[in-house]
Amino acid sequence: EAGVAQSPRYKIIEKRQSVAFWCNPISGHATLYWYQQILGQGPKLLIQFQNNGVVDDSQLPKDRFSAERLKGVDSTLKIQPAKLEDSAVYLCASSQVTENIQYFGAGTRLSVL
Amino acid sequence: QQPVQSPQAVILREGEDAVINCSSSKALYSVHWYRQKHGEAPVFLMILLKGGEQKGHDKISASFNEKKQQSSLYLTASQLSYSGTYFCGTEISGGYQKVTFGTGTKLQVIP
């Protein structure tokens, strides 16, 4: 069974630039999560989708972050414009509706200079 | 509210045991445990549900005290492969599936 796919693995940008991350969840997983993990901390939920609807985006900085999940499958997370404090690993995870076990992708490591 | 884990870090020799604790200020529906090795994604270990049901790893055990909103992860006869950072995640209500991850416990097993 294929796991959660994310791209790119690494991205280096300058502050005020924009960046986008892509995630393809495990086939059949209706729930998709985007997390931000700052070095030395636990993953922090940014947004949670169930199919193509948003379940929770209470911690998403909406002035600069946006996410979409068209057709209820893959998803993109965008930052525009980026700030220095956005440097982190962005993790995507997916789970089945009936079983809340989250499977994580390898993540995208973002460095904002 | 982010759950609090203790200890923050621990070093073990192979074969020794360890306990990692997770504490929440809110009533919990479930507690999840994940392990993350350096530079890798978190990997699911175990989920403990309100009412006593458990699902997960056959070499790692855990407990869930619903009244105290606490969970403990027990690592027995540790192996080098157990090294990594352990995160607990707490879920307040079933069906919603939002998990809030804790502060993490860094475990290092040495020969």
Side-chain angles (χ1 to χ4, degrees):
Chain A
E1 180 182 83
V4 176
Q6 287 189 248
S7 66
R9 284 299 313 275
Y10 305 93
K11 191 74 177 179
I12 300 173
I13 61 173
E14 295 188 351
K15 60 182 179 183
R16 291 188 290 273
Q17 286 187 325
S18 62
V19 64
F21 313 126
W22 175 82
C23 172
N24 188 262
I26 292 173
S27 177
H29 282 194
T31 309
L32 185 147
Y33 313 79
W34 282 103
Y35 290 92
Q36 179 192 60
Q37 187 174 29
I38 292 172
L39 187 64
Q41 298 182 17
K44 172 188 165 185
L45 180 68
L46 293 176
I47 189 167
Q48 178 179 339
F49 292 96
Q50 187 153 315
N51 296 308
N52 58 348
V54 175
V55 175
D56 189 302
D57 63 355
S58 57
Q59 298 190 97
L60 185 74
K62 297 180 184 68
D63 58 335
R64 298 184 301 107
F65 286 63
S66 64
E68 61 181 7
R69 189 182 185 197
L70 299 176
K71 299 181 183 178
V73 182
D74 56 353
S75 176
T76 56
L77 176 70
K78 296 179 182 177
I79 307 175
Q80 182 178 7
K83 293 185 175 181
L84 297 176
E85 58 262 36
D86 298 332
S87 294
V89 175
Y90 290 84
L91 294 164
C92 178
S94 70
S95 68
Q96 297 181 29
V97 172
T98 54
E99 187 176 65
N100 193 8
I101 295 173
Q102 297 186 27
Y103 296 87
F104 285 82
T108 296
R109 183 175 298 275
L110 175 67
S111 296
V112 182
L113 307 177
Chain B
Q1 188 102 17
Q2 186 179 35
V4 177
Q5 291 183 230
S6 63
Q8 288 187 331
V10 60
I11 299 175
L12 298 175
R13 293 199 177 275
E14 272 187 293
E16 291 183 337
D17 302 338
V19 180
I20 300 172
N21 301 302
C22 174
S23 181
S24 172
S25 60
K26 296 189 174 183
L28 300 176
Y29 175 78
S30 69
V31 178
H32 305 226
W33 287 96
Y34 286 77
R35 177 172 60 212
Q36 185 176 32
K37 293 183 179 286
H38 184 69
E40 299 181 11
V43 174
F44 170 77
L45 294 176
M46 177 166 291
I47 182 170
L48 300 103
L49 301 171
K50 189 176 180 179
E53 184 181 359
Q54 296 185 25
K55 301 178 187 178
H57 211 283
D58 58 4
K59 293 188 178 181
I60 295 174
S61 63
S63 64
F64 178 21
N65 187 324
E66 298 169 28
K67 290 184 179 178
K68 293 186 177 181
Q69 296 107 51
Q70 293 176 346
S71 178
S72 295
L73 186 71
Y74 305 97
L75 304 167
T76 56
S78 58
Q79 306 169 18
L80 295 176
S81 61
Y82 285 10
S83 294
T85 301
Y86 289 77
F87 292 101
C88 71
T90 54
E91 188 181 3
I92 294 173
S93 61
Y96 187 44
Q97 298 187 317
K98 177 181 178 179
V99 176
T100 302
F101 285 93
T103 48
T105 296
K106 188 171 183 178
L107 178 76
Q108 184 181 1
V109 181
I110 58 176

